[in-house]
Amino acid sequence: MSSDVSPVNSTNAPAESEESLPGAAENGPSGELPEAAYLLGLADDAMVYAQRLSEWMTNAPQIEEDMALGNIALDLLGQARALYPYIGSIDGTGRGEDDYAMLRDERDWRNVHLVEQERGDFADEMARLLWFSAYQVELHTALTGSSDDVVAGVAGKALKEVRYHLDHASLWVVRLGDGTEESHRRMQAALERVLPHLAELFDDDEASVTAAGLGVGVLPSSLHDAVVGRVRRVTDEATLTLPEASSWRSRGGRAGIHSRPMGYLLAEMQHIARSHPGATW
Amino acid sequence: MYGNDVIDPNVPLNAAETAAYDEAAAHVEGRAVGEASAEGFDALIAADQRIEPRDAMPDKYRETLIRQIAQHAHSEIIGMQPEGNWITRAPSLRRKAILIAKVQDEAGHGLYLYSAAETLGVDRAELLDRLHDGKQKYSSIFNYPTLTWADNGAIGWLVDGAAIMNQVPLCRCSYGPYARAMIRVCKEESFHQRQGFEILWTLMRGTEAQRAMAQDAANRWWWPALAMFGPPDTGEAAKGGGHTEQSMAWGIKRFANDDLRQKFVDMMVPQADKLGIVLPDPDLRWNEERGHYDFGDIDWGEFWRVLRGDGPCNAERIEHRRSAHAEGAWVREAATAYAAKQASRRQESAA
């Protein structure tokens, strides 16, 4: 697999380019401990993708899919909710889940750009879900061996969920790829559109290097080949071609540098909570 | 966590928590569900036995049930929209999780009910087409907008509460698949109603702005919730037509609209007091003689206007459904095409 051309254009090397970005502080956007910053990246990926997936409810191609995507959103939301209070306990701020979700500004979010992108068509969502769930399967498999019992516990529960997510996405990618001419064309186009946002998942930033060094986390780059292998098996069966490279790639999410849709996502998600400071719901 | 932590779970908050529900749920099938009965339809109805899909039944009975079950299923599906509108904006992660689960439940109820309708010889795709073409209706309550977060509380408390009041008698409906669907649906709706109460409970114990939000939502949803029981259907008022009399004879309907509405008012007024919400009816007061609450006149002009299409959200609700369905057509076609390919591949490999 290692000799394979990487379809996600990842260098598998620390993302040095981030250092030149304004505001990419050494200890992460809020100066948290690297372990906390690492876990915040995982939690924010789950939280933001849950938010995006929940937008499908009442908009899916069939009612079963309204339920299924809602279910996946609920699982991811649950993963974020399990991690946030724990992060609050280790970063010394004592923040709770809503402090993280509702009261942080865009620059303090550490999710990758992949999950914040606006909802496209159903093929776009299945392409994103296929990659993200394949990544999460490898991630949580590795994290079940974390030296941190809480992280290992969260990963153990999440692993059962994300295997189902991967299964769900795989079935749809195969159906769409090997369905009609139109669905094949759309699914192929979606695989190409998602490509620039994948490399970020496998960047080793300082927080992940430190977390991996402590045995708490795992080096993102170490997941790359297995994830690509999982995705390629599905696209092969689906008679689709995994695109080889894109002319650009997203970067900066883990350092709090986000793409345009992120601010709007937060505005919508946080508006009510922020309009009533200190209120409980 | 659906509100059981703040209110006594032993005090019934809705009709699914009363003895009427328990009795219906305890119904034991008199015979194997898959078998056709040797007794005729009339004898089964007279003996208060359930009619099952393979039993002979009058065409009118079948049509009435298809219409009613489809309308009920459509209401669940359209009913996902008013609350679905708030999933991305829920003010806390706990509320977001509950709301997603609730909207999921509604989708599940819709599917369950479409399956019940399918036992009568129609298919879901056809029923959805009828919904999208405006040939079949859904509950008119969903033509009202959800303007603030508190509306999610008011919908759970009042709209789900009224729906349960309507649906508990349907747990004893003469048509088996519908009755069994209702037994399950009512149980989940009961959780929904409690979570609505709990949203309002929390708001009423919150900031001034939160209390105002809760009161405003109750003001807007109270009257439409009362109208959910339908216009008066007995005595003088029933002469305009309707299906009540025949539905009663067939064991589909068990109580008159006004009886259920009165039960609902009697159940909700003490709950409003407990919440600290003032119901928007100056005529609402306890009548010692009747042993019921008196309440003011419902604006049936508004009811009929909204029912006929001129409500604040009628066009929006149907357009949302139609466009989601149309945008998903290529996905459903692909799934069908793939299934056909797989079937022929299996055949080839078996040959």
Coordinates of all heavy atoms in Angstrom, one line a residue, chain A residues 75 79 136-137 140-141 144 153-167:
Chain A
D75 N -24.9 9.6 17.0 CA -23.7 8.9 17.5 C -22.5 9.9 17.6 O -21.8 9.9 18.6 CB -23.3 7.8 16.5 CG -24.3 6.6 16.5 OD1 -25.0 6.5 17.5 OD2 -24.3 5.8 15.6
Q79 N -20.3 11.2 20.8 CA -18.8 11.1 20.9 C -18.3 12.5 21.4 O -17.4 12.5 22.3 CB -18.2 10.7 19.6 CG -18.5 9.3 19.1 CD -18.1 9.0 17.7 OE1 -17.3 9.8 17.1 NE2 -18.6 8.0 17.1
Q136 N -12.5 7.2 10.9 CA -12.9 7.0 12.3 C -12.7 5.5 12.7 O -12.4 5.3 13.9 CB -14.3 7.5 12.5 CG -14.4 9.0 12.8 CD -15.6 9.4 13.6 OE1 -16.7 8.9 13.3 NE2 -15.4 10.2 14.6
V137 N -13.0 4.6 11.8 CA -12.8 3.2 12.2 C -11.3 2.9 12.5 O -11.0 2.4 13.5 CB -13.3 2.3 11.0 CG1 -12.8 0.8 11.3 CG2 -14.8 2.3 10.9
H140 N -10.4 5.0 15.8 CA -10.9 4.5 17.1 C -10.3 3.1 17.4 O -10.2 2.7 18.5 CB -12.4 4.5 17.2 CG -12.9 5.9 17.3 ND1 -12.5 6.8 18.3 CD2 -13.7 6.7 16.5 CE1 -13.1 7.9 18.2 NE2 -13.8 7.9 17.1
T141 N -10.0 2.3 16.3 CA -9.4 1.0 16.5 C -8.0 1.3 17.2 O -7.7 0.6 18.2 CB -9.1 0.3 15.2 OG1 -10.4 0.1 14.6 CG2 -8.4 -1.0 15.4
T144 N -8.4 2.5 21.0 CA -8.8 1.6 22.0 C -7.6 1.1 22.8 O -7.7 0.7 23.9 CB -9.5 0.3 21.5 OG1 -8.7 -0.2 20.4 CG2 -10.9 0.7 20.9
G153 N -11.9 4.2 26.5 CA -13.3 3.8 26.7 C -14.2 4.5 25.6 O -15.1 3.8 25.1
V154 N -14.0 5.8 25.4 CA -14.7 6.5 24.4 C -14.5 5.8 23.0 O -15.5 5.6 22.3 CB -14.4 8.0 24.3 CG1 -15.0 8.7 23.1 CG2 -14.8 8.7 25.6
A155 N -13.3 5.5 22.7 CA -13.0 4.9 21.4 C -13.7 3.5 21.3 O -14.2 3.2 20.2 CB -11.5 4.7 21.2
G156 N -13.7 2.7 22.4 CA -14.3 1.4 22.3 C -15.8 1.5 21.9 O -16.3 0.7 21.1
K157 N -16.5 2.5 22.5 CA -17.9 2.6 22.3 C -18.1 3.2 20.8 O -18.9 2.7 20.1 CB -18.5 3.6 23.3 CG -20.0 3.9 23.1 CD -20.6 4.7 24.2 CE -22.1 4.9 24.1 NZ -22.4 5.7 22.9
A158 N -17.2 4.2 20.5 CA -17.3 4.8 19.2 C -17.1 3.8 18.1 O -17.7 3.9 17.0 CB -16.4 6.0 19.1
L159 N -16.2 2.9 18.3 CA -15.8 2.0 17.2 C -17.0 1.2 16.7 O -17.2 1.0 15.5 CB -14.7 1.0 17.8 CG -14.1 0.1 16.8 CD1 -13.5 0.8 15.5 CD2 -13.0 -0.8 17.4
K160 N -17.8 0.8 17.7 CA -19.0 0.0 17.3 C -19.9 0.9 16.4 O -20.5 0.4 15.5 CB -19.8 -0.4 18.5 CG -19.1 -1.5 19.4 CD -20.0 -1.9 20.6 CE -19.1 -2.6 21.6 NZ -19.4 -2.2 23.0
E161 N -20.0 2.2 16.7 CA -20.9 3.1 16.0 C -20.3 3.3 14.6 O -21.0 3.3 13.6 CB -21.0 4.4 16.7 CG -21.7 4.2 18.1 CD -21.5 5.4 19.0 OE1 -20.7 6.3 18.7 OE2 -22.2 5.5 20.1
V162 N -19.0 3.7 14.5 CA -18.4 4.1 13.3 C -18.3 2.9 12.3 O -18.3 3.2 11.1 CB -17.1 4.9 13.4 CG1 -17.3 6.1 14.3 CG2 -16.0 4.0 14.0
R163 N -18.3 1.7 12.8 CA -18.3 0.6 11.9 C -19.6 0.5 11.1 O -19.7 0.2 9.9 CB -18.1 -0.7 12.6 CG -16.6 -1.0 12.9 CD -16.5 -2.4 13.6 NE -15.1 -2.7 13.9 CZ -14.7 -3.2 15.0 NH1 -15.6 -3.6 15.9 NH2 -13.4 -3.5 15.2
Y164 N -20.7 0.8 11.9 CA -22.0 0.9 11.2 C -22.0 2.1 10.2 O -22.6 1.9 9.1 CB -23.1 1.0 12.3 CG -24.4 1.6 11.7 CD1 -25.2 0.8 11.0 CD2 -24.7 2.9 11.9 CE1 -26.4 1.4 10.4 CE2 -25.8 3.5 11.4 CZ -26.7 2.7 10.6 OH -27.8 3.3 10.1
H165 N -21.5 3.2 10.6 CA -21.5 4.3 9.7 C -20.7 4.0 8.4 O -21.2 4.3 7.3 CB -20.8 5.6 10.3 CG -21.3 6.0 11.6 ND1 -20.7 6.9 12.4 CD2 -22.5 5.6 12.3 CE1 -21.4 7.0 13.5 NE2 -22.5 6.3 13.5
L166 N -19.6 3.3 8.5 CA -18.8 2.9 7.3 C -19.6 1.9 6.5 O -19.6 2.0 5.3 CB -17.5 2.3 7.8 CG -16.6 1.8 6.6 CD1 -16.2 2.9 5.6 CD2 -15.3 1.1 7.2
D167 N -20.3 1.0 7.1 CA -21.1 0.1 6.4 C -22.2 0.8 5.6 O -22.4 0.5 4.5 CB -21.7 -0.9 7.4 CG -22.3 -2.1 6.8 OD1 -21.7 -2.7 5.9 OD2 -23.5 -2.4 7.1

